[in-house]
Amino acid sequence: MPSSERPPIKLRAADQAYEAIEVLISTLRLEPGSPIVEADLVAMTSLGRTPVREALLRMVSIGLIQQQPRRGLVVSNIDLADHLDVIQTRRALERLIAACAARRATAMQRQEVLRRAQAMVDAAAQGDLDAYMQADHALDVVIHLASQNQSAVQCVLPLIVKCRRFWYAYQHEGEIAEGARHHLALAQGIASANESAAMLGADQLMDYLEKFARRVINN
């Protein structure tokens, strides 16, 4: 194995449960306001009760899941007004992460960033929303690894999930080809080690998400 190639990181069971439940929430398979049934999640994720419970506690702490009197745990609702604040907060973090990734990424990561972004462009051209969102998630993963800034990544992750869920709920209002172009511009900035271009790409992507959110709110 080449020295620049790292073996894949093995996730803890609780992290696997978190990622699996996050997908269920962000893709609306677990709808806003729906009750959380621990036994169902154990079956859906093929993981034990302990890692699922730990994942749920993490989600409560960041607001993806809420504890309600007499109802127990429920998936949090989508707050349209709050979503603009989510995007503004995410903007600051995405600029930082983009700059760090442009500065710190390995040669292999720069190639992978471009490959993942191109996959988004290809999926958008085919009108395949699921493939688009999967490529989006994969792009996030490699950019976050390349940034080597765990503090910023941990802060931005719940905001990304909220944005992804918002997109699934209202995607009929959006144009994924435009989103793919902005992701590609961000990737090109990182791949070329151009911090200014990477931050500009992050800004333009957040502009796009904000425009999309305002269109939904005003309708």
Side-chain angles (χ1 to χ4, degrees), residues 130-160:
D130 287 339
Y132 176 88
M133 297 306 282
Q134 289 168 8
D136 181 23
H137 175 70
L139 177 61
D140 286 340
V141 170
V142 67
I143 290 176
H144 293 167
L145 286 172
S147 76
Q148 301 178 46
N149 188 331
Q150 274 300 107
S151 296
V153 168
Q154 290 303 314
C155 289
V156 83
L157 284 175
L159 305 180
I160 291 175

PDB file of all heavy atoms in Angstrom, residues 130-160:
ATOM      1  N   ASP A 130     -31.393  10.751  -5.264  1.00  0.00           N
ATOM      2  CA  ASP A 130     -30.740   9.902  -4.266  1.00  0.00           C
ATOM      3  C   ASP A 130     -29.240   9.794  -4.526  1.00  0.00           C
ATOM      4  O   ASP A 130     -28.428   9.912  -3.601  1.00  0.00           O
ATOM      5  CB  ASP A 130     -31.373   8.511  -4.248  1.00  0.00           C
ATOM      6  CG  ASP A 130     -32.755   8.507  -3.598  1.00  0.00           C
ATOM      7  OD1 ASP A 130     -33.048   9.445  -2.822  1.00  0.00           O
ATOM      8  OD2 ASP A 130     -33.538   7.584  -3.873  1.00  0.00           O
ATOM      9  N   ALA A 131     -28.859   9.581  -5.790  1.00  0.00           N
ATOM     10  CA  ALA A 131     -27.432   9.496  -6.124  1.00  0.00           C
ATOM     11  C   ALA A 131     -26.744  10.832  -5.872  1.00  0.00           C
ATOM     12  O   ALA A 131     -25.588  10.876  -5.426  1.00  0.00           O
ATOM     13  CB  ALA A 131     -27.258   9.076  -7.582  1.00  0.00           C
ATOM     14  N   TYR A 132     -27.445  11.913  -6.142  1.00  0.00           N
ATOM     15  CA  TYR A 132     -26.916  13.260  -5.901  1.00  0.00           C
ATOM     16  C   TYR A 132     -26.603  13.458  -4.419  1.00  0.00           C
ATOM     17  O   TYR A 132     -25.523  13.927  -4.050  1.00  0.00           O
ATOM     18  CB  TYR A 132     -27.942  14.284  -6.378  1.00  0.00           C
ATOM     19  CG  TYR A 132     -27.592  15.734  -6.111  1.00  0.00           C
ATOM     20  CD1 TYR A 132     -26.844  16.471  -7.026  1.00  0.00           C
ATOM     21  CD2 TYR A 132     -28.032  16.369  -4.962  1.00  0.00           C
ATOM     22  CE1 TYR A 132     -26.536  17.799  -6.790  1.00  0.00           C
ATOM     23  CE2 TYR A 132     -27.724  17.699  -4.714  1.00  0.00           C
ATOM     24  CZ  TYR A 132     -26.985  18.411  -5.631  1.00  0.00           C
ATOM     25  OH  TYR A 132     -26.685  19.729  -5.381  1.00  0.00           O
ATOM     26  N   MET A 133     -27.558  13.084  -3.564  1.00  0.00           N
ATOM     27  CA  MET A 133     -27.371  13.296  -2.133  1.00  0.00           C
ATOM     28  C   MET A 133     -26.314  12.343  -1.564  1.00  0.00           C
ATOM     29  O   MET A 133     -25.576  12.710  -0.646  1.00  0.00           O
ATOM     30  CB  MET A 133     -28.700  13.114  -1.411  1.00  0.00           C
ATOM     31  CG  MET A 133     -29.767  14.136  -1.817  1.00  0.00           C
ATOM     32  SD  MET A 133     -29.225  15.865  -1.651  1.00  0.00           S
ATOM     33  CE  MET A 133     -29.392  16.105   0.113  1.00  0.00           C
ATOM     34  N   GLN A 134     -26.224  11.128  -2.109  1.00  0.00           N
ATOM     35  CA  GLN A 134     -25.166  10.215  -1.671  1.00  0.00           C
ATOM     36  C   GLN A 134     -23.790  10.753  -2.034  1.00  0.00           C
ATOM     37  O   GLN A 134     -22.843  10.686  -1.233  1.00  0.00           O
ATOM     38  CB  GLN A 134     -25.383   8.833  -2.308  1.00  0.00           C
ATOM     39  CG  GLN A 134     -26.572   8.073  -1.737  1.00  0.00           C
ATOM     40  CD  GLN A 134     -26.948   6.869  -2.561  1.00  0.00           C
ATOM     41  OE1 GLN A 134     -26.245   6.486  -3.506  1.00  0.00           O
ATOM     42  NE2 GLN A 134     -28.070   6.242  -2.230  1.00  0.00           N
ATOM     43  N   ALA A 135     -23.674  11.307  -3.239  1.00  0.00           N
ATOM     44  CA  ALA A 135     -22.397  11.900  -3.654  1.00  0.00           C
ATOM     45  C   ALA A 135     -22.081  13.135  -2.825  1.00  0.00           C
ATOM     46  O   ALA A 135     -20.919  13.408  -2.508  1.00  0.00           O
ATOM     47  CB  ALA A 135     -22.444  12.252  -5.143  1.00  0.00           C
ATOM     48  N   ASP A 136     -23.117  13.894  -2.473  1.00  0.00           N
ATOM     49  CA  ASP A 136     -22.955  15.070  -1.617  1.00  0.00           C
ATOM     50  C   ASP A 136     -22.367  14.656  -0.269  1.00  0.00           C
ATOM     51  O   ASP A 136     -21.414  15.268   0.235  1.00  0.00           O
ATOM     52  CB  ASP A 136     -24.322  15.743  -1.441  1.00  0.00           C
ATOM     53  CG  ASP A 136     -24.255  16.994  -0.578  1.00  0.00           C
ATOM     54  OD1 ASP A 136     -23.168  17.593  -0.479  1.00  0.00           O
ATOM     55  OD2 ASP A 136     -25.292  17.369  -0.015  1.00  0.00           O
ATOM     56  N   HIS A 137     -22.934  13.615   0.318  1.00  0.00           N
ATOM     57  CA  HIS A 137     -22.433  13.123   1.605  1.00  0.00           C
ATOM     58  C   HIS A 137     -20.987  12.648   1.475  1.00  0.00           C
ATOM     59  O   HIS A 137     -20.139  12.944   2.335  1.00  0.00           O
ATOM     60  CB  HIS A 137     -23.322  11.983   2.105  1.00  0.00           C
ATOM     61  CG  HIS A 137     -22.829  11.341   3.363  1.00  0.00           C
ATOM     62  ND1 HIS A 137     -22.843  11.976   4.589  1.00  0.00           N
ATOM     63  CD2 HIS A 137     -22.274  10.116   3.588  1.00  0.00           C
ATOM     64  CE1 HIS A 137     -22.340  11.180   5.515  1.00  0.00           C
ATOM     65  NE2 HIS A 137     -21.981  10.053   4.921  1.00  0.00           N
ATOM     66  N   ALA A 138     -20.692  11.911   0.404  1.00  0.00           N
ATOM     67  CA  ALA A 138     -19.331  11.411   0.198  1.00  0.00           C
ATOM     68  C   ALA A 138     -18.336  12.555   0.032  1.00  0.00           C
ATOM     69  O   ALA A 138     -17.200  12.486   0.517  1.00  0.00           O
ATOM     70  CB  ALA A 138     -19.292  10.497  -1.021  1.00  0.00           C
ATOM     71  N   LEU A 139     -18.766  13.626  -0.643  1.00  0.00           N
ATOM     72  CA  LEU A 139     -17.909  14.798  -0.807  1.00  0.00           C
ATOM     73  C   LEU A 139     -17.641  15.460   0.537  1.00  0.00           C
ATOM     74  O   LEU A 139     -16.508  15.854   0.837  1.00  0.00           O
ATOM     75  CB  LEU A 139     -18.560  15.799  -1.770  1.00  0.00           C
ATOM     76  CG  LEU A 139     -17.804  17.110  -1.995  1.00  0.00           C
ATOM     77  CD1 LEU A 139     -16.422  16.855  -2.591  1.00  0.00           C
ATOM     78  CD2 LEU A 139     -18.610  18.040  -2.900  1.00  0.00           C
ATOM     79  N   ASP A 140     -18.679  15.584   1.355  1.00  0.00           N
ATOM     80  CA  ASP A 140     -18.499  16.153   2.694  1.00  0.00           C
ATOM     81  C   ASP A 140     -17.454  15.368   3.478  1.00  0.00           C
ATOM     82  O   ASP A 140     -16.585  15.953   4.140  1.00  0.00           O
ATOM     83  CB  ASP A 140     -19.820  16.133   3.475  1.00  0.00           C
ATOM     84  CG  ASP A 140     -20.810  17.181   2.998  1.00  0.00           C
ATOM     85  OD1 ASP A 140     -20.383  18.150   2.344  1.00  0.00           O
ATOM     86  OD2 ASP A 140     -22.014  17.025   3.284  1.00  0.00           O
ATOM     87  N   VAL A 141     -17.549  14.044   3.415  1.00  0.00           N
ATOM     88  CA  VAL A 141     -16.646  13.197   4.190  1.00  0.00           C
ATOM     89  C   VAL A 141     -15.191  13.464   3.825  1.00  0.00           C
ATOM     90  O   VAL A 141     -14.340  13.656   4.701  1.00  0.00           O
ATOM     91  CB  VAL A 141     -16.990  11.705   3.983  1.00  0.00           C
ATOM     92  CG1 VAL A 141     -15.895  10.811   4.580  1.00  0.00           C
ATOM     93  CG2 VAL A 141     -18.338  11.371   4.626  1.00  0.00           C
ATOM     94  N   VAL A 142     -14.882  13.496   2.528  1.00  0.00           N
ATOM     95  CA  VAL A 142     -13.486  13.669   2.133  1.00  0.00           C
ATOM     96  C   VAL A 142     -13.005  15.097   2.409  1.00  0.00           C
ATOM     97  O   VAL A 142     -11.852  15.302   2.816  1.00  0.00           O
ATOM     98  CB  VAL A 142     -13.266  13.275   0.645  1.00  0.00           C
ATOM     99  CG1 VAL A 142     -13.966  14.223  -0.298  1.00  0.00           C
ATOM    100  CG2 VAL A 142     -11.778  13.201   0.325  1.00  0.00           C
ATOM    101  N   ILE A 143     -13.864  16.096   2.244  1.00  0.00           N
ATOM    102  CA  ILE A 143     -13.465  17.475   2.564  1.00  0.00           C
ATOM    103  C   ILE A 143     -13.179  17.609   4.057  1.00  0.00           C
ATOM    104  O   ILE A 143     -12.204  18.252   4.465  1.00  0.00           O
ATOM    105  CB  ILE A 143     -14.542  18.477   2.114  1.00  0.00           C
ATOM    106  CG1 ILE A 143     -14.583  18.571   0.582  1.00  0.00           C
ATOM    107  CG2 ILE A 143     -14.279  19.861   2.715  1.00  0.00           C
ATOM    108  CD1 ILE A 143     -15.692  19.470   0.057  1.00  0.00           C
ATOM    109  N   HIS A 144     -14.028  16.993   4.874  1.00  0.00           N
ATOM    110  CA  HIS A 144     -13.828  17.084   6.318  1.00  0.00           C
ATOM    111  C   HIS A 144     -12.531  16.402   6.742  1.00  0.00           C
ATOM    112  O   HIS A 144     -11.799  16.934   7.590  1.00  0.00           O
ATOM    113  CB  HIS A 144     -15.018  16.469   7.050  1.00  0.00           C
ATOM    114  CG  HIS A 144     -16.284  17.236   6.869  1.00  0.00           C
ATOM    115  ND1 HIS A 144     -17.527  16.748   7.210  1.00  0.00           N
ATOM    116  CD2 HIS A 144     -16.501  18.481   6.380  1.00  0.00           C
ATOM    117  CE1 HIS A 144     -18.448  17.652   6.933  1.00  0.00           C
ATOM    118  NE2 HIS A 144     -17.852  18.710   6.433  1.00  0.00           N
ATOM    119  N   LEU A 145     -12.232  15.256   6.161  1.00  0.00           N
ATOM    120  CA  LEU A 145     -10.966  14.595   6.461  1.00  0.00           C
ATOM    121  C   LEU A 145      -9.787  15.450   6.011  1.00  0.00           C
ATOM    122  O   LEU A 145      -8.790  15.590   6.730  1.00  0.00           O
ATOM    123  CB  LEU A 145     -10.921  13.233   5.767  1.00  0.00           C
ATOM    124  CG  LEU A 145     -11.790  12.127   6.363  1.00  0.00           C
ATOM    125  CD1 LEU A 145     -11.779  10.903   5.459  1.00  0.00           C
ATOM    126  CD2 LEU A 145     -11.327  11.761   7.765  1.00  0.00           C
ATOM    127  N   ALA A 146      -9.913  16.041   4.837  1.00  0.00           N
ATOM    128  CA  ALA A 146      -8.828  16.851   4.289  1.00  0.00           C
ATOM    129  C   ALA A 146      -8.583  18.107   5.117  1.00  0.00           C
ATOM    130  O   ALA A 146      -7.448  18.574   5.210  1.00  0.00           O
ATOM    131  CB  ALA A 146      -9.144  17.229   2.845  1.00  0.00           C
ATOM    132  N   SER A 147      -9.634  18.643   5.721  1.00  0.00           N
ATOM    133  CA  SER A 147      -9.491  19.897   6.480  1.00  0.00           C
ATOM    134  C   SER A 147      -8.641  19.727   7.735  1.00  0.00           C
ATOM    135  O   SER A 147      -8.006  20.674   8.195  1.00  0.00           O
ATOM    136  CB  SER A 147     -10.866  20.437   6.881  1.00  0.00           C
ATOM    137  OG  SER A 147     -11.417  19.695   7.960  1.00  0.00           O
ATOM    138  N   GLN A 148      -8.633  18.505   8.298  1.00  0.00           N
ATOM    139  CA  GLN A 148      -7.909  18.234   9.545  1.00  0.00           C
ATOM    140  C   GLN A 148      -8.296  19.218  10.648  1.00  0.00           C
ATOM    141  O   GLN A 148      -7.477  19.602  11.479  1.00  0.00           O
ATOM    142  CB  GLN A 148      -6.395  18.262   9.310  1.00  0.00           C
ATOM    143  CG  GLN A 148      -5.911  17.265   8.278  1.00  0.00           C
ATOM    144  CD  GLN A 148      -4.419  17.352   8.039  1.00  0.00           C
ATOM    145  OE1 GLN A 148      -3.636  17.423   8.984  1.00  0.00           O
ATOM    146  NE2 GLN A 148      -4.006  17.351   6.777  1.00  0.00           N
ATOM    147  N   ASN A 149      -9.575  19.623  10.634  1.00  0.00           N
ATOM    148  CA  ASN A 149     -10.086  20.555  11.652  1.00  0.00           C
ATOM    149  C   ASN A 149     -11.315  19.925  12.298  1.00  0.00           C
ATOM    150  O   ASN A 149     -12.444  20.205  11.914  1.00  0.00           O
ATOM    151  CB  ASN A 149     -10.430  21.902  11.017  1.00  0.00           C
ATOM    152  CG  ASN A 149     -10.774  22.971  12.052  1.00  0.00           C
ATOM    153  OD1 ASN A 149     -11.273  22.663  13.137  1.00  0.00           O
ATOM    154  ND2 ASN A 149     -10.510  24.227  11.718  1.00  0.00           N
ATOM    155  N   GLN A 150     -11.084  19.067  13.271  1.00  0.00           N
ATOM    156  CA  GLN A 150     -12.169  18.324  13.882  1.00  0.00           C
ATOM    157  C   GLN A 150     -13.149  19.225  14.641  1.00  0.00           C
ATOM    158  O   GLN A 150     -14.342  18.931  14.705  1.00  0.00           O
ATOM    159  CB  GLN A 150     -11.624  17.265  14.841  1.00  0.00           C
ATOM    160  CG  GLN A 150     -11.273  15.951  14.152  1.00  0.00           C
ATOM    161  CD  GLN A 150     -12.491  15.330  13.475  1.00  0.00           C
ATOM    162  OE1 GLN A 150     -12.607  15.344  12.246  1.00  0.00           O
ATOM    163  NE2 GLN A 150     -13.405  14.789  14.252  1.00  0.00           N
ATOM    164  N   SER A 151     -12.654  20.312  15.206  1.00  0.00           N
ATOM    165  CA  SER A 151     -13.536  21.213  15.947  1.00  0.00           C
ATOM    166  C   SER A 151     -14.607  21.789  15.026  1.00  0.00           C
ATOM    167  O   SER A 151     -15.801  21.783  15.353  1.00  0.00           O
ATOM    168  CB  SER A 151     -12.735  22.354  16.584  1.00  0.00           C
ATOM    169  OG  SER A 151     -11.836  21.862  17.548  1.00  0.00           O
ATOM    170  N   ALA A 152     -14.185  22.282  13.860  1.00  0.00           N
ATOM    171  CA  ALA A 152     -15.137  22.846  12.908  1.00  0.00           C
ATOM    172  C   ALA A 152     -16.054  21.770  12.347  1.00  0.00           C
ATOM    173  O   ALA A 152     -17.264  21.993  12.172  1.00  0.00           O
ATOM    174  CB  ALA A 152     -14.393  23.557  11.778  1.00  0.00           C
ATOM    175  N   VAL A 153     -15.498  20.596  12.072  1.00  0.00           N
ATOM    176  CA  VAL A 153     -16.297  19.516  11.495  1.00  0.00           C
ATOM    177  C   VAL A 153     -17.394  19.075  12.464  1.00  0.00           C
ATOM    178  O   VAL A 153     -18.549  18.894  12.069  1.00  0.00           O
ATOM    179  CB  VAL A 153     -15.396  18.321  11.119  1.00  0.00           C
ATOM    180  CG1 VAL A 153     -16.234  17.092  10.798  1.00  0.00           C
ATOM    181  CG2 VAL A 153     -14.510  18.687   9.932  1.00  0.00           C
ATOM    182  N   GLN A 154     -17.046  18.914  13.736  1.00  0.00           N
ATOM    183  CA  GLN A 154     -18.050  18.487  14.712  1.00  0.00           C
ATOM    184  C   GLN A 154     -19.166  19.512  14.858  1.00  0.00           C
ATOM    185  O   GLN A 154     -20.326  19.162  15.106  1.00  0.00           O
ATOM    186  CB  GLN A 154     -17.390  18.236  16.069  1.00  0.00           C
ATOM    187  CG  GLN A 154     -16.493  17.013  16.108  1.00  0.00           C
ATOM    188  CD  GLN A 154     -17.227  15.739  15.710  1.00  0.00           C
ATOM    189  OE1 GLN A 154     -18.331  15.473  16.173  1.00  0.00           O
ATOM    190  NE2 GLN A 154     -16.610  14.946  14.841  1.00  0.00           N
ATOM    191  N   CYS A 155     -18.831  20.784  14.689  1.00  0.00           N
ATOM    192  CA  CYS A 155     -19.851  21.831  14.773  1.00  0.00           C
ATOM    193  C   CYS A 155     -20.757  21.855  13.545  1.00  0.00           C
ATOM    194  O   CYS A 155     -21.958  22.118  13.643  1.00  0.00           O
ATOM    195  CB  CYS A 155     -19.193  23.198  14.937  1.00  0.00           C
ATOM    196  SG  CYS A 155     -18.425  23.472  16.551  1.00  0.00           S
ATOM    197  N   VAL A 156     -20.188  21.573  12.383  1.00  0.00           N
ATOM    198  CA  VAL A 156     -20.960  21.726  11.144  1.00  0.00           C
ATOM    199  C   VAL A 156     -21.829  20.509  10.841  1.00  0.00           C
ATOM    200  O   VAL A 156     -22.845  20.625  10.140  1.00  0.00           O
ATOM    201  CB  VAL A 156     -20.018  22.023   9.956  1.00  0.00           C
ATOM    202  CG1 VAL A 156     -19.414  20.747   9.372  1.00  0.00           C
ATOM    203  CG2 VAL A 156     -20.747  22.801   8.871  1.00  0.00           C
ATOM    204  N   LEU A 157     -21.475  19.339  11.355  1.00  0.00           N
ATOM    205  CA  LEU A 157     -22.189  18.115  10.984  1.00  0.00           C
ATOM    206  C   LEU A 157     -23.699  18.169  11.241  1.00  0.00           C
ATOM    207  O   LEU A 157     -24.488  17.835  10.351  1.00  0.00           O
ATOM    208  CB  LEU A 157     -21.563  16.906  11.681  1.00  0.00           C
ATOM    209  CG  LEU A 157     -20.236  16.412  11.094  1.00  0.00           C
ATOM    210  CD1 LEU A 157     -19.660  15.282  11.940  1.00  0.00           C
ATOM    211  CD2 LEU A 157     -20.412  15.955   9.649  1.00  0.00           C
ATOM    212  N   PRO A 158     -24.149  18.585  12.436  1.00  0.00           N
ATOM    213  CA  PRO A 158     -25.608  18.637  12.634  1.00  0.00           C
ATOM    214  C   PRO A 158     -26.293  19.653  11.735  1.00  0.00           C
ATOM    215  O   PRO A 158     -27.454  19.475  11.349  1.00  0.00           O
ATOM    216  CB  PRO A 158     -25.760  19.000  14.117  1.00  0.00           C
ATOM    217  CG  PRO A 158     -24.449  19.573  14.529  1.00  0.00           C
ATOM    218  CD  PRO A 158     -23.428  18.904  13.687  1.00  0.00           C
ATOM    219  N   LEU A 159     -25.580  20.722  11.363  1.00  0.00           N
ATOM    220  CA  LEU A 159     -26.161  21.720  10.469  1.00  0.00           C
ATOM    221  C   LEU A 159     -26.327  21.146   9.069  1.00  0.00           C
ATOM    222  O   LEU A 159     -27.317  21.439   8.379  1.00  0.00           O
ATOM    223  CB  LEU A 159     -25.269  22.969  10.432  1.00  0.00           C
ATOM    224  CG  LEU A 159     -24.954  23.610  11.779  1.00  0.00           C
ATOM    225  CD1 LEU A 159     -24.068  24.836  11.587  1.00  0.00           C
ATOM    226  CD2 LEU A 159     -26.226  23.987  12.521  1.00  0.00           C
ATOM    227  N   ILE A 160     -25.374  20.335   8.644  1.00  0.00           N
ATOM    228  CA  ILE A 160     -25.465  19.686   7.333  1.00  0.00           C
ATOM    229  C   ILE A 160     -26.666  18.750   7.289  1.00  0.00           C
ATOM    230  O   ILE A 160     -27.403  18.706   6.301  1.00  0.00           O
ATOM    231  CB  ILE A 160     -24.162  18.928   7.016  1.00  0.00           C
ATOM    232  CG1 ILE A 160     -23.018  19.918   6.767  1.00  0.00           C
ATOM    233  CG2 ILE A 160     -24.339  18.006   5.811  1.00  0.00           C
ATOM    234  CD1 ILE A 160     -21.667  19.270   6.573  1.00  0.00           C
TER     235      ILE A 160
END
